[in-house]
Amino acid sequence: MRYTDKMVDRQVGRNAELFSQAVAELDSPAERYPYLRILVSLVEQAHPEWRQAPNKGSQIAGLLDRMSEGTLDSDEVKEVVRVRDEERGYYR
């Protein structure tokens, strides 16, 4: 990423965008999992209006896909969102 590029989401920020690109370079889903949880948490803090959205997993996965320039697996991100929601007692 070049700093001349526009940020995908100003609420989440450039550091999270750079972090998402670095996480995408990790080799296995097991290595990426804790960092994806951090990224999902950052997005949820930046977008509290998405917390109870019925399509929250897709929204967060889409945003992280754009932030990582298409290198993160959307299904993997959706799974992290689902697990975090279940830990909190939100079941869909």
Side-chain angles (χ1 to χ4, degrees), residues 53-62 74 77-78 81-82 85 92:
N55 57 346
K56 172 178 147 180
S58 298
Q59 287 176 305
I60 291 175
S74 294
V77 174
K78 287 178 190 176
V81 172
R82 186 191 61 76
D85 283 351
R92 301 198 191 279

Side-chain angles (χ1 to χ4, degrees), residues 8-40:
V8 172
D9 189 322
R10 292 182 63 105
Q11 290 174 300
V12 179
R14 186 175 304 279
N15 285 338
E17 194 168 333
L18 293 169
F19 184 55
S20 69
Q21 293 167 11
V23 169
E25 294 175 4
L26 295 174
D27 294 330
S28 70
E31 288 181 65
R32 286 188 295 272
Y33 181 79
Y35 301 109
L36 287 176
R37 286 185 63 106
I38 293 169
L39 280 169
V40 168

Side-chain angles (χ1 to χ4, degrees), residues 9 43-44 47-57 59-61 63 66 92:
D9 189 322
V43 171
E44 285 180 338
H47 293 285
E49 68 276 9
W50 290 358
R51 284 196 183 130
Q52 295 296 324
N55 57 346
K56 172 178 147 180
Q59 287 176 305
I60 291 175
L63 177 60
R66 289 191 312 272
R92 301 198 191 279

